[in-house]
């Protein structure tokens, strides 16, 4: 079989993690974020991981903490590839503290006005590698600690922040070639601008300086693995390094959003896997659907609450799609919060599946190139980027569905994926918009697409981007006086209510939850009345509840409102929320989560036909004789 180039002995699925393994993000912190009982050895679940995101300054004085971590990972998974993060040009505030300083003051890149070039929300600066002293400092900083790291089991370096020399050099920080550009000869705030070579010439020299940084490391330590986080054209780095990191916005998120085709992404990763230095290690990340409000930037493990983390990490279909596309490549998959925070120790039932090695290359099985299959020694993956229907694929061998997890306590959210899961949100400007990647409710006719509406009343839209932890960009609060407004009836849905509408995708029992918003300026009610009924059938509720919206932890998590409600396939339903006028406070309306009680996994034979939902994937195992 054509297995392509050798990529170590890692079988599929291949798992990656970026920066989660950090002794300073303690088990107590991970427990706070919803991942209980984490130990150093647990990071051995992942095949390729980067450690230490920020502290290039402080490897030496922190070695007593890093060495045991690396040894624990290697003991748990001897085949794990552990890469130590270094910054040749990405300089954080911690690097500039006098006690930590390893870089001469003159090395911070400045623009033509003498101001320092700063990027990523003003938190990061650039080391001027054009100055030989500054390049020497970056090399010396790495060489000083590599002996201890390599002795502990580190396999190489992950060079983060491979950016252009003039990033953030405009009056307003930007990510790209700016004007005015950097002044590579300016070493202080009051410098006099001097003529310099054209941008294109300087850019070529700059790329070569990254290669020189690694050449000098590998000259001392032959055999180092070198992986990059590239924000430059990648061509020059392919033949001289072992791979790169694809953050979600550069890869899988774009495939999910329809910007990139599955085929183009597979081709790009294959280019790295076949043309880079071998063995090749390419980490591909899928980011959760998380907005990046500026108040979140730089907070790292405090970027999200536990409720938000679990809400994001249990977006099972999004995770499965990213994993499925990753399995079409030889990359290492990670499901993360987003670019503001990587490293969540996410884990899913699919991760436990043992597929062995790939038997051959991935194959498109639809004329439009949006359905793909790849065969492995012990199973298959089927991936669909079709947004408006199920697809059914016939495989060469009978297959079985994956069984439920053998260790459910370590799954993200501590639970299995439901067979059906979708969200109805009230995003500003797009009522009823399901997700950025396309319609989740493809089973409904265009006239019956899921939607949100306010029926009547004093509803106020809140979109102030404070730390309210809502889903999406906005939420609504509302209240009224007993009896309703003058001239209105008390029919149902009553005045001063809001409604989410949708069509049921299947017959069976479903659970419903809403976002536990922390509405800072609005005291919430203990009398939010939820009701579900068939659309257009009168006032009778199939199920009803009164929910205390003040209760529980209001940190963006899902708050259960209705459970085990029987629905019928293709029937339209309406979930309403209204304020009980005998109670005080405001009622809040944000996003509605709809999930089946039936689970996605559970074992059992499927024959040779596998059905995959829209924007989804499925991993199946070959039936054994």
């Amino acid at each position: 079989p054509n297995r392509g180039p050798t990529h170590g002995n890692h079988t599929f699925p291949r798992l990656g993690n970026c920066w989660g393994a950090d002794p300073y993000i303690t088990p107590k912190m991970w427990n706070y974020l919803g991942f209980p009982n984490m130990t150093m050895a647990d990071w051995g679940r992942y095949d390729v991981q980067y450690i230490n995101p920020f502290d290039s300054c402080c490897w030496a004085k922190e070695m007593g903490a890093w060495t045991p971590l690396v040894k624990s990972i290697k003991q748990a998974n001897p085949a794990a590839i552990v890469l130590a993060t270094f910054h040749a040009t990405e300089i954080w505030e911690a690097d500039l503290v006098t006690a930590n300083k390893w870089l001469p003051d003159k090395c911070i890149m400045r623009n033509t006005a003498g101001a320092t070039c700063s990027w990523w929300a003003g938190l990061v600066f650039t080391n001027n590698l054009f100055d030989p002293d500054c390049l020497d400092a970056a090399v010396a900083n790495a060489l000083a600690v590599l002996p201890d790291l390599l002795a502990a089991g580190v396999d190489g370096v992950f060079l983060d922040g491979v950016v252009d020399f003039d990033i953030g050099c405009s009056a307003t920080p930007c990510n790209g070639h700016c004007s005015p550009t950097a002044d590579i000869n300016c070493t202080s705030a009051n410098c006099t601008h001097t003529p310099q070579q054209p941008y294109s010439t300087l850019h070529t020299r700059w790329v070569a300086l990254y290669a020189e940084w690694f050449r000098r490391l590998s000259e001392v330590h032959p055999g180092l693995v070198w992986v990059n986080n590239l924000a430059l054209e990648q061509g020059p780095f392919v033949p001289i390094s072992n791979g790169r990191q694809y953050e979600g916005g550069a890869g899988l998120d774009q495939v999910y959003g329809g910007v990139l085709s599955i085929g183009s992404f597979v081709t790009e990763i294959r280019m790295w896997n076949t043309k880079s230095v071998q063995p090749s290690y390419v980490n591909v990340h899928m980011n959760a659907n998380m907005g990046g409000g500026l108040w979140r930037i730089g907070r790292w493990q405090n970027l999200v609450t536990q409720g938000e983390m679990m809400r994001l990490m249990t977006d099972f279909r999004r995770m499965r799609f990213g994993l499925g596309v990753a399995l079409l490549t030889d990359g290492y998959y990670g499901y993360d919060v987003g670019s503001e925070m990587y490293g969540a120790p996410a884990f899913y039932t699919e991760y436990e599946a043992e597929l062995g090695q790939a038997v051959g290359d991935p194959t498109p099985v639809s004329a439009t190139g949006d359905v793909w299959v790849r065969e492995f020694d012990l199973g298959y993956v089927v991936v669909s980027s079709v947004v408006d229907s199920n697809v059914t694929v016939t495989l060469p061998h009978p297959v079985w569905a994956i069984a439920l997890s053998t260790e459910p306590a370590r799954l993200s959210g501590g639970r299995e994926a439901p067979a059906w899961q979708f969200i109805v949100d009230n995003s500003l400007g797009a009522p009823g918009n399901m997700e950025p990647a396309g319609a989740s409710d493809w089973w409904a006719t265009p006239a019956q697409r899921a939607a949100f509406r306010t029926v009547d009343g004093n509803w106020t839209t809140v979109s102030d981007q404070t730390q309210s932890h809502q889903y999406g960009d906005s939420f609504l609060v509302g209240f009224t006086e007993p009896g309703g407004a003058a001239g209105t009836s008390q029919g149902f849905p009553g005045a001063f209510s809001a409604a989410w509408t949708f069509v049921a995708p299947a017959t069976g029992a479903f659970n419903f939850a809403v976002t536990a918003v922390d509405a800072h300026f609005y005291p919430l009610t203990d009398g939010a009345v939820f009701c579900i009924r068939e659309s257009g059938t009168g006032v009778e509720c199939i199920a009803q509840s009164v929910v205390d919206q003040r209760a529980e932890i209001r940190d963006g998590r899902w708050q259960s409102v209705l459970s085990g409600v029987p629905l019928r396939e293709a029937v339209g339903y309406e979930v309403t929320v209204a304020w009980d006028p005998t109670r005080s406070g405001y009622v809040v309306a944000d996003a509605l989560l709809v999930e089946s009680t039936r689970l996605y996994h559970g074992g059992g034979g499927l024959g040779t036909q596998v059905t995959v939902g829209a924007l989804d994937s499925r991993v199946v195992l070959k039936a054994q004789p």
Side-chain angles (χ1 to χ4, degrees), residues 493-553:
F496 309 97
S497 62
W500 299 268
T501 58
F502 64 93
V503 171
T507 296
F510 282 75
N511 299 326
F512 298 84
V514 295
T515 328
V517 171
D518 182 9
H520 292 286
F521 306 114
Y522 301 90
L524 299 181
T525 183
D526 62 349
V529 181
F530 287 87
C531 166
I532 182 170
R533 63 176 185 143
E534 291 188 20
S535 300
T537 59
V539 300
E540 183 178 356
C541 298
I542 300 171
Q544 185 172 353
S545 67
V546 178
V547 174
D548 185 351
Q549 292 193 309
R550 307 168 308 175
E552 302 182 16
I553 302 172

Side-chain angles (χ1 to χ4, degrees), residues 426 431 451-456 459 493 497-501 533 574 576:
N426 57 8
F452 172 87
R453 75 181 192 278
T454 56
V455 179
D456 199 356
W459 288 97
S497 62
W500 299 268
T501 58
R533 63 176 185 143
E574 182 172 73
T576 63

